[in-house]
Amino acid sequence: MAEALGQEIPKLLISGNTNDSVKQSAALCMLRLIRNTPETINMSEWASRIIHLLNDQHMGVVTAAVSLMHVLSTKNAEEYKGCVTLAVSRLSRIVTSAYTDLQDYTYYFVPAPWLSVKLLRLLQNYPPPDDPAVKNRLTECLETILNKAQEPPKSKKVQHSNAKNAVLFEAINLIIHMDSEPNLLVRACNQLGQFLQHRETNLRYLALESMCLLATSEFSHDAVKKHQETVITALKTERDVSVRQRAVDLLYAMCDRANVEEIVHEMLSYLEMADYSIREEMVLKVAILAEKYAVDYAWYVDTILNLIRIAGDYVSEEVWYRVIQIVINRNDVQGYAAKTVFEALQAPACHENMVKVGGYILGEFGNLIAGDPRSSPMVQFQLIHSKFHLCSIPTRQLLLSTYVKFINLFPEIKSHIQQILRADNHLRSADVELQQRAVEYMQLSTIATTDVLATVLEEMPAFPERESSILAKLKKKRPDNNVENRPLRSPAHTNNTEQAVAAPPVAKVHVPDIQVSTKPVASTSDLLGLTASTSSAKSSAPSANYSGVLIDVLNDIGSSVSVTGIDSGPDDSFCKFVCKNNGVLFENDLLQIGVKSEFRQNLCRLHLFYGNKTSFQLNSFVPDVRSPGVLATQLSIQAKPVDSVIEGGAQKQQLINIECLADFVEAPVLLVQFLYNNAVQKIHVRLPVMLCKFIEPAQMDSATFFQRWKLLCQPSQEGQKIIKAKQPMDHEQLKAKVLGVNLSVLDGIDPNPENFVSAGIIHTASAQIGCLARLEPNRPAQMYRLTIRASKDGVAARLCDLLETQL
C-alpha cells in the first residue's frame, strides 16, 4: 500500500485544487506511511512544497503539516531547514494574537495550543536561526510566552492551565535547546522555580526535570543554584517517589565545588530514610560528587566510608574499587585512610564492604599507623581476622591477600599469620581459589627470601587515570536521563574467583628463578573496575581457569595466553575513515569487508558488505559487533542478522543501526568468525564510528565565536597539539579535512587567511556539546598548532587526537 500510494498522496497534499479537509487527511496519511515504511517513501522532491504548507490559511492543514514535517526533518534536517523561518513566523502570529482572533482554534482562552507545541518541537530539530531578524522574532515569541505565563489565569478550569503550561514547558525546552540567550535561560529558570512548590505534582516533576537541563548551561547554572534549599526541602517532604528522584537528579546537576559539601551532606542524611528504589542511584551520585569536586581528599575518604556505613548493601563494587584507586594514587591521604578504616572496623556491626576496603588499605598502608600501640601490627591483624568468619568467600580470599601483605610489612607477626594460612579449613577448603591462595601464600612466606618477598609484595603502583567506573555505572543505569546510570559489568565481575582478586594483589614482579607475568599492573587495574582500553586481538588475556593476580606472580599457570587465528585490520585502515564514510574496511585472501555509513545528528546507519573472495563456501559465518568496556553505555547498537553461508564469489550485506547516547572514546569492534576449509577463521576490526561523525557544522559570526571561545576557558575544556605535518600543506586539502570531520569553516573570523576557524555541535541522546576549533599552519616549520575547545570536559582532547591522524 505504501508503494502504491506513496507518489499519489503527496500530489493531493500540495495541489491547489485539494480542499482543506483532504489536505489535512493526506498529511496525516503520509505521516503514518513514513512511520511504518520509511524505506519506501521518498519525499525529497516535495520538500519545498510541503514546507510552504506552513503558510496555509487553514489551521488544521498547518497542524497536520507540522506533524509531518517534524518527522521528515528528524530524518533529513538539511532538506527541510527552510521550515525554520516559516515556523517562527507562524508561531509569532499565534503567540501575539488574542484568544478571540483564533476562535475556532482557541482552547480555554489559549490560542491554538497544540499547533504552538508542535511548532516549538519542530524548531528543536534545528540550531538557533542564523538570520538575525528571524532569531530576534523567535526570541520575542519566547519572551511573550514567558510573559503570558505570569499573567493571571483567564479561567479556573484545569484545561486552561494545562494548555497554557504545555506551551510554556515546550517553549522552555526550546530555550534550553538553543542555549544562546542568557536572559531567556535565567527567566526560564525563575519561572520553573515558581512551580517547585506548586500544588500539582506533575508540574513539580516537570519543573525539576527541566531545571536539570538548565543546570548544565553555563548561563543558567547559578540561577538554578538559588533554588537549592527548595529542592532539598522537596527531597525530604515530597510524597511522590518519582518527584523525589528528580530532586536527587537536580541536586546532582547543580552541584559544584562551592556547594558540594552541603549537597553531599544532605543526600547522605536523606539516604538513611530514602526509598529502596532510589538508594543505589543516590549512592552512585554521592560517590561521583565526592570524587569529582573533592578538594580535601580526607573529606572524600570520610564521605565514602560514611556512605558504606549508611547504605552498605547498595554500595556497588565500583564504589569501593574507586576509593582504593584514589587512595593508592594520592600519597597525602594514605596515612589518614589507614587510620580511618582502622577506626571504622572497630564498630561492632561492620558491613562487609567496609571489611573489603579496610583489608585492602591496611594491607597496603597499615605500616603508616603501626607506630601507635593502639594500632600495632598485631592489633591490626586481630581486628581484621575477627571479621573473617563473618565474611563471604570472595572477601575471605581478599583478606588472605591482606595477611600475606602483613607478612612483608610486619615480619614480627609472621608466625601468627602462617598459623592461619596452614589451618585445615583453608588448605582443604571446598573453594578452589581460597585453597590455592592459602597454599601459595604459605609457600611464598616459607621459601622466599626477605628480598624476594619484599619485591613480590611491594606496594601497589599508581593506577593510570581513566574515566571513573562509578560514572560509567551511572551512565549505564539510566541512559535516557541527562544524569546517566545502569550497573556496569566490569571484568572483575565475571565470576566469584575474579571478584576475589580485588584483594591486595601483588603489584610488580621481578623475581629471579621464578617465571612470572610481567603485566600485573594492567590486570590489577581491570580488577579495580577500570575499563581497559581495547586491546589488539593478538594481545594476551588472562587464563579463564586461573584468574587470580597471585597466580600471575607465582608461576605461569595463570600466565596470559594469546588468541590465535585472528586477523586484525591495520590501524591506518581505521584512521582513513576519520574524514570519509565509505570504503574498504578490511581485506585479506578470503574476505573483503566494505562499509558505507550515514550519520544524522546522534544516529548512524552502517551498511557492511561481506564479499567472499574465494570459489568455496564460507560456512558458519557469524559477525558480532561488540562494545568494549563503558562503550556499551555510550552507544546503542542494533545489528541485523546475516545468512550463515556465503557462496563463493558472493556478497552479503548487514545493516547496523547505532545511536550515540553519550560522548565516547573507543570504537565498536567487529568480530567475524567463519569456517573455511574446516578451519575456524576470525577477523577483528574496529568499526569506523568516531565522535566526530556525530558533529553537525555550526555557523556563527565573529562576535559570537569569540564570546563562546572565551567562555570555554577551563583547562579540561581545551585540547591543543603541536603537530608535525606528514603531507604537503595544501590549503584546499586542509579545508577538505576540516570539513571531513564535520566542522564548519568560518571565513573572515581569523585575521590570518591561512588559519582555519571552525565550529560544530556534537549530538548525543543525553546532551549537545558545542565545539570550537582553530587550526594554524606554520609552513616554514612544516608544523600545525591545533586548538579545540568544547563545552564538555575531555571532549576537546579526543577531537584533537582524531584530527591529528589526518594532519
Side-chain angles (χ1 to χ4, degrees):
M1 181 185 287
E3 292 176 357
L5 300 179
Q7 294 300 313
E8 298 302 320
I9 296 176
K11 295 176 183 177
L12 288 174
L13 183 59
I14 63 175
S15 172
N17 299 323
T18 308
N19 67 44
D20 294 334
S21 60
V22 174
K23 279 188 179 180
Q24 190 173 351
S25 298
L28 295 175
C29 182
M30 284 305 301
L31 178 60
R32 177 58 62 88
L33 291 177
I34 289 170
R35 282 175 174 167
N36 288 349
T37 56
E39 67 279 356
T40 62
I41 305 295
N42 184 7
M43 298 293 290
S44 300
E45 58 183 300
W46 316 104
S48 61
R49 302 286 293 276
I50 291 174
I51 289 172
H52 280 87
L53 288 174
L54 290 176
N55 280 333
D56 199 281
Q57 297 298 317
H58 193 275
M59 296 287 282
V61 172
V62 178
T63 304
V66 172
S67 297
L68 174 62
M69 214 170 304
H70 178 73
V71 172
L72 293 172
S73 62
T74 302
K75 296 178 180 298
N76 193 339
E78 187 65 24
E79 277 190 358
Y80 295 90
K81 66 180 180 180
C83 72
V84 172
T85 302
L86 298 180
V88 171
S89 176
R90 175 63 78 168
L91 180 65
S92 177
R93 278 180 274 167
I94 295 171
V95 169
T96 56
S97 65
Y99 67 89
T100 54
D101 297 341
L102 300 169
Q103 288 187 355
D104 292 342
Y105 288 88
T106 295
Y107 180 78
Y108 286 88
F109 303 99
V110 181
W114 286 279
L115 178 55
S116 299
V117 167
K118 289 176 185 289
L119 289 168
L120 290 164
R121 284 182 181 169
L122 175 62
L123 291 170
Q124 289 173 51
N125 289 339
Y126 294 92
D130 295 327
D131 187 339
V134 177
K135 187 175 182 179
N136 289 338
R137 194 171 186 183
L138 177 56
T139 302
E140 290 171 5
C141 289
L142 296 171
E143 287 177 342
T144 303
I145 293 172
L146 293 176
N147 290 336
K148 285 187 175 182
Q150 299 289 340
E151 296 175 359
K154 295 183 173 64
S155 171
K156 294 183 179 179
K157 300 271 188 177
V158 68
Q159 291 90 337
H160 170 73
S161 61
N162 285 346
K164 188 176 176 181
N165 289 332
V167 176
L168 172 63
F169 275 99
E170 209 57 59
I172 290 174
N173 286 340
L174 179 56
I175 291 170
I176 295 170
H177 168 76
M178 292 168 60
D179 196 24
S180 59
E181 297 292 333
N183 182 49
L184 284 178
L185 287 162
V186 173
R187 285 196 61 189
C189 181
N190 294 335
Q191 182 67 52
L192 291 170
Q194 296 177 21
F195 288 128
L196 291 179
Q197 295 175 306
H198 199 279
R199 59 187 178 85
E200 285 289 333
T201 303
N202 285 344
L203 286 179
R204 297 196 300 274
Y205 179 92
L206 291 171
L208 289 166
E209 185 177 47
S210 297
M211 289 184 81
C212 283
L213 299 174
L214 282 170
T216 62
S217 171
E218 58 188 330
F219 300 119
S220 53
H221 182 79
D222 289 338
V224 173
K225 284 171 60 178
K226 292 178 182 178
H227 301 280
Q228 179 177 316
E229 292 303 322
T230 307
V231 179
I232 291 172
T233 303
L235 179 65
K236 295 176 178 178
T237 61
E238 182 60 54
R239 294 181 181 179
D240 191 300
V241 65
S242 63
V243 181
R244 292 198 296 272
Q245 173 69 71
R246 289 302 177 206
V248 171
D249 292 343
L250 181 51
L251 286 174
Y252 178 75
M254 70 167 63
C255 189
D256 57 23
R257 292 192 188 278
N259 60 7
V260 62
E261 292 192 18
E262 183 180 355
I263 286 180
V264 166
H265 173 73
E266 293 292 347
M267 291 177 78
L268 282 172
S269 300
Y270 175 69
L271 188 56
E272 296 189 64
M273 63 191 78
D275 298 81
Y276 293 111
S277 59
I278 65 173
R279 283 193 182 186
E280 183 182 6
E281 188 173 325
M282 284 192 68
V283 166
L284 291 174
K285 288 178 176 175
V286 168
I288 290 169
L289 293 178
E291 176 188 342
K292 185 175 182 181
Y293 297 115
V295 177
D296 179 2
Y297 277 89
W299 171 80
Y300 168 75
V301 171
D302 287 339
T303 300
I304 299 300
L305 295 183
N306 201 17
L307 194 62
I308 295 173
R309 181 186 62 79
I310 293 171
D313 290 338
Y314 298 90
V315 174
S316 63
E317 294 191 324
E318 286 83 1
V319 174
W320 74 265
Y321 288 166
R322 190 62 178 164
V323 71
I324 294 294
Q325 190 178 352
I326 288 174
V327 169
I328 286 176
N329 284 9
R330 298 194 63 87
N331 296 333
D332 56 331
V333 80
Q334 290 166 358
Y336 181 81
K339 177 176 177 292
T340 306
V341 295
F342 176 78
E343 293 171 353
L345 287 173
Q346 292 175 330
C350 191
H351 195 276
E352 189 166 336
N353 281 336
M354 187 72 78
V355 177
K356 292 177 183 177
V357 175
Y360 201 125
I361 290 179
L362 291 178
E364 292 293 328
F365 310 113
N367 60 306
L368 299 179
I369 61 171
D372 189 333
R374 293 169 296 179
S375 55
S376 65
M378 195 63 192
V379 172
Q380 290 185 44
F381 170 67
Q382 289 174 341
L383 177 61
I384 292 177
H385 194 59
S386 68
K387 315 290 182 184
F388 188 90
H389 67 286
L390 301 172
C391 296
S392 63
I393 293 296
T395 305
R396 293 184 187 186
Q397 295 165 3
L398 184 152
L399 293 181
L400 287 184
S401 294
T402 300
Y403 296 167
V404 78
K405 284 275 189 171
F406 276 176
I407 289 176
N408 179 52
L409 292 176
F410 313 122
E412 63 270 26
I413 62 172
K414 177 178 178 180
S415 59
H416 296 280
I417 295 173
Q418 286 179 329
Q419 186 177 351
I420 300 298
L421 292 176
R422 67 167 66 98
D424 277 356
N425 60 332
H426 293 150
L427 296 181
R428 299 182 181 182
S429 172
D431 182 80
V432 175
E433 178 70 19
L434 192 66
Q435 182 189 83
Q436 184 169 345
R437 287 189 183 214
V439 170
E440 293 183 345
Y441 288 160
M442 185 64 203
Q443 290 301 310
L444 179 65
S445 65
T446 304
I447 298 172
T449 64
T450 304
D451 291 340
V452 170
L453 200 63
T455 304
V456 173
L457 301 173
E458 68 180 342
E459 187 178 299
M460 282 288 292
F463 290 97
E465 289 298 330
R466 297 193 182 106
E467 181 184 32
S468 169
S469 57
I470 313 173
L471 186 58
K473 183 180 178 75
L474 194 62
K475 289 177 181 177
K476 196 170 183 181
K477 187 172 177 61
R478 290 173 60 203
D480 58 321
N481 194 348
N482 243 17
V483 187
E484 316 94 305
N485 320 323
R486 200 179 87 200
L488 172 66
R489 179 178 169 84
S490 75
H493 292 162
T494 51
N495 57 44
N496 287 340
T497 302
E498 290 177 356
Q499 286 180 349
V501 196
V506 182
K508 294 189 298 182
V509 184
H510 304 284
V511 185
D513 303 324
I514 303 179
Q515 188 174 357
V516 296
S517 166
T518 59
K519 298 182 180 179
V521 174
S523 66
T524 304
S525 300
D526 283 343
L527 291 168
L528 284 174
L530 293 170
T531 305
S533 57
T534 308
S535 60
S536 164
K538 292 185 179 180
S539 66
S540 59
S543 166
N545 296 324
Y546 301 92
S547 55
V549 174
L550 188 70
I551 304 169
D552 288 338
V553 171
L554 293 178
N555 63 45
D556 55 0
I557 294 176
S559 63
S560 55
V561 295
S562 62
V563 182
T564 60
I566 291 186
D567 205 349
S568 297
D571 196 56
D572 59 353
S573 176
F574 176 79
C575 293
K576 73 181 182 182
F577 285 92
V578 172
C579 290
K580 71 174 189 175
N581 292 336
N582 307 325
V584 176
L585 185 61
F586 174 85
E587 187 169 15
N588 64 9
D589 294 335
L590 305 179
L591 186 71
Q592 182 188 71
I593 304 176
V595 62
K596 179 180 179 183
S597 52
E598 304 168 73
F599 295 84
R600 187 169 300 138
Q601 293 191 350
N602 69 314
L603 302 177
C604 164
R605 176 177 290 178
L606 287 182
H607 296 270
L608 296 180
F609 303 91
Y610 303 101
N612 183 353
K613 295 177 64 177
T614 73
S615 56
F616 302 97
Q617 282 186 345
L618 301 182
N619 297 308
S620 301
F621 189 89
V622 180
D624 182 22
V625 180
R626 299 180 180 179
S627 301
V630 297
L631 188 64
T633 70
Q634 298 161 344
L635 295 180
S636 172
I637 302 177
Q638 295 179 338
K640 293 193 174 180
V642 181
D643 290 345
S644 59
V645 176
I646 303 181
E647 298 293 339
Q651 184 184 80
K652 295 291 183 182
Q653 180 178 345
Q654 183 180 31
L655 176 62
I656 301 174
N657 291 315
I658 299 175
E659 181 182 6
C660 179
L661 304 176
D663 57 288
F664 59 97
V665 180
E666 300 295 339
V669 176
L670 175 67
L671 180 60
V672 180
Q673 183 171 313
F674 57 93
L675 289 176
Y676 173 74
N677 197 21
N678 292 324
V680 176
Q681 305 292 327
K682 293 182 181 179
I683 295 170
H684 175 284
V685 64
R686 289 190 291 170
L687 290 177
V689 179
M690 310 142 191
L691 189 59
C692 64
K693 298 293 186 180
F694 298 96
I695 295 178
E696 181 182 18
Q699 298 294 327
M700 59 185 69
D701 57 22
S702 178
T704 304
F705 179 87
F706 286 110
Q707 178 191 12
R708 296 186 180 182
W709 183 269
K710 291 175 183 177
L711 290 172
L712 301 174
C713 57
Q714 299 299 320
S716 58
Q717 294 177 320
E718 181 179 283
Q720 188 175 83
K721 282 183 177 285
I722 306 298
I723 303 166
K724 180 69 175 177
K726 300 176 184 176
Q727 301 169 2
M729 301 175 73
D730 180 76
H731 186 83
E732 290 304 314
Q733 288 186 7
L734 287 177
K735 182 176 181 180
K737 288 176 180 178
V738 173
L739 295 173
V741 294
N742 299 314
L743 291 169
S744 62
V745 174
L746 305 177
D747 296 322
I749 291 184
D750 197 300
N752 185 347
E754 291 296 314
N755 295 344
F756 292 88
V757 175
S758 306
I761 300 171
I762 301 175
H763 289 275
T764 72
S766 57
Q768 291 187 335
I769 304 169
C771 305
L772 303 176
R774 192 175 184 213
L775 179 62
E776 302 167 83
N778 183 341
R779 296 184 187 280
Q782 288 293 293
M783 304 281 282
Y784 299 99
R785 180 166 66 181
L786 173 64
T787 308
I788 298 179
R789 293 185 178 182
S791 58
K792 185 169 183 182
D793 294 354
V795 170
R798 298 176 204 169
L799 294 179
C800 274
D801 292 339
L802 285 172
L803 198 49
E804 181 184 19
T805 63
Q806 305 304 301
L807 298 175

